[in-house]
Amino acid sequence: MKDFGATDAAGAGKRRPDLLIWGAAVFLVLAAVFAAAPALRAGPATLAGLLLLGGVAGVAILGLVAIRASTTTGDPEPEGAEAFVEALSEPAAVTAADGRVLAANLAWVQAVGDARRLPRGAAGARLFAALVKARDGQRAEGTLVIAGQERRTEAARLRGGRLLVRLPSVVEKEVFVPTAAPAPVVAQSAPAPRTLDAFSGASPFGAALLEGLDPFNSRVLEANPALAAMTGAVPSGTLFGALIDPPSRAEAETRLAEGKSGPFEVRLARDPARIAHLYLYRADGRLVAYLIDVSEQKQMELQLAQAQKMQAIGQLAGGVAHDFNNLLTAIQLRLDELLHRHPVGDPSYEGLNEIRQTGVRAADLVRKLLAFSRKQTVQREVLELGELISEFEVLLRRLLREDVKLVTDYGRDLPQVRADKSQLETAVMNLAVNARDAVRAAKGGGVVRIRTARLTQDEAQSLGFPGAEGDQAFIEVSDDGPGIPPEVMGKIFDPFFTTKPVGEGTGLGLATVYGIVKQSDGWIHVHSRPGEGAAFRIFLPVHEPTPAQQAAAATAAAAPEAKPRPPRDLSGAGRILFVEDEDAVRGVAARLLRARGYEVLEASDGEEALIIAEEHAGTIDLLISDVIMPGIDGPTLLKKARAYLGNAPVMFISGYAEAEFSDLLEGETGVTFLPKPIDIKTLAERVKQQLQAA
């Protein structure tokens, strides 16, 4: 330790006297004496003399205190500076702001020398710039030229205006020299380990010590228990490449040869369905290989990708179905007009009727697309799960034919569900028909089972519904056929995907089931293994009616209301504002309504409809509007035109589900919905009912 604060030969630690400060002190004392001389001459008995003596004494005391403070705080205490820098292992010195070295440790003296000031000129120019920043309270870096080489320095401010200057230790970078190894690995070279360390041995991921630098052709010297659990027993001397599935091993070797550093995605030879990430660590002639099982992570990624793909396909199918519905509506309305002109007995009737039947089949196809995209119109009601399947069982037995046996299993305490009855029947029927075709194609016949039950949350999760909350209603349709191949499993819900021969299926059966279940707030899971058949499991939320709903249901059961019969006379009178962006639909519907006695005002979009509504304010009896239109849509049009319509009823027509826009009609009354495609008879009946109710 070197202390540069002493000035005497003995090194007693006394500070060097500052002549300017001592000179100022002498002159201050002389000034006080001369100032006190008149007061002493006048005598201290007078008040003026006392005040003058007191003021002079106060000035003298304050001056001496200021001089003492300046002499004691200008430099650090030697003992404190020594103790501070001595505790540092790197070269360090405590300096004044002007570059005077107040104290330094032995490492500083050995590196820089025992000079009492920091080097000036070119050698210390950047260091003094750093000292200026450090004096302002900043932590600054600079350089100091020592023995012809630049050394990085760091300067920081200490108490009392002192500065700490350090020379950080230089860490030599390891230079890696490539060897004849076949491929790169993750880590740099290190001393060759003889065994796995404690961390690797007890880690939850697989670890193995390999002899050699080619991982797939090296022998295993030691493996931890986690690796044995993943790949099976790994005795010493096992070829590490034998633990990897050959196709993924070849791919990993290719990536390794290209210079990739990993991780490498591989499949395990023991179970190719399990996926792991391989990390390699080089240790001077040996490798440490780490295998981390990522099978569940990859499964979640695949499920997310599949869900996103299904959502995109659903949006596409919904858009196509919406436009196709408009075309079908125009075709059916025109057919109704032609059939009215060419009744039964007319030579053209048979051909027109065939066209109409084809249109009905096309409309059914559109409904399936809308069901898949979850935009089909639904009419939910509370259903008894057991009664639903038992009533539908008779029709299913006719569909399955004699060579396929239908077995039903009704569980106890079956719950109620709130869903569209026809849609749920369609879903079960499609699953049963698919099961029938599977067993008949494989072995000419078989067994189809339908099971219903109430499941607890844990039971539902164990059967394939990971997000189950509370009790679930359960419908399972299974068969004893060949099962679903793994390569097909990810595509079975895609629209128009089918494994049946051409002409025997549209590929919309399972897509429709998927959409119906999702639109019913449910979940569908497929369990299948080759040779063991397939089981489609539908989970639906249990409906628990409130006391008010139970009372209302009891009242309705005691005195059921008679449903109004559709009017036989479809003619009427009234002014109708018909808004539809499809010219063919609007033109034909308006002409047919006029033929039945109504006055129809046509509008091709919402903006035009607003102008017409304002011109005929208070005289419009009914508004018929499409929901999805360019510009102003149907619900927005209703809100803007309500002031001109008064209490006139409103009928929306659309190919989308009513639930898609029902939340936009909050606070509106007298609003009904008619799904597309529509025919003139249904339209005329609904128009007359709305006008009579108003």
Side-chain angles (χ1 to χ4, degrees), residues 412-484:
R412 297 181 179 180
D413 189 23
L414 293 180
Q416 291 181 337
V417 295
R418 190 170 181 271
D420 188 301
K421 182 178 181 181
S422 61
Q423 281 195 350
L424 205 53
E425 289 177 346
T426 300
V428 176
M429 181 184 68
N430 286 347
L431 294 177
V433 169
N434 279 352
R436 177 202 67 186
D437 295 342
V439 296
R440 294 184 76 243
K443 50 185 180 181
V447 178
V448 175
R449 293 180 175 85
I450 299 179
R451 182 165 70 100
T452 58
R454 175 194 285 265
L455 302 179
T456 63
Q457 177 175 325
D458 294 338
E459 291 173 337
Q461 291 176 352
S462 65
L463 289 176
F465 186 10
E469 295 181 359
D471 289 356
Q472 299 290 320
F474 179 69
I475 304 174
E476 182 185 60
V477 180
S478 60
D479 61 71
D480 60 350
I484 303 175

Side-chain angles (χ1 to χ4, degrees), residues 28 34 85 93 151 160 319 379 479 525 528 572 575 688:
L28 177 62
F34 289 141
V85 296
R151 289 285 301 273
Q379 297 178 354
D479 61 71
H525 174 73
S528 177
R575 176 175 289 174
K688 190 158 188 176

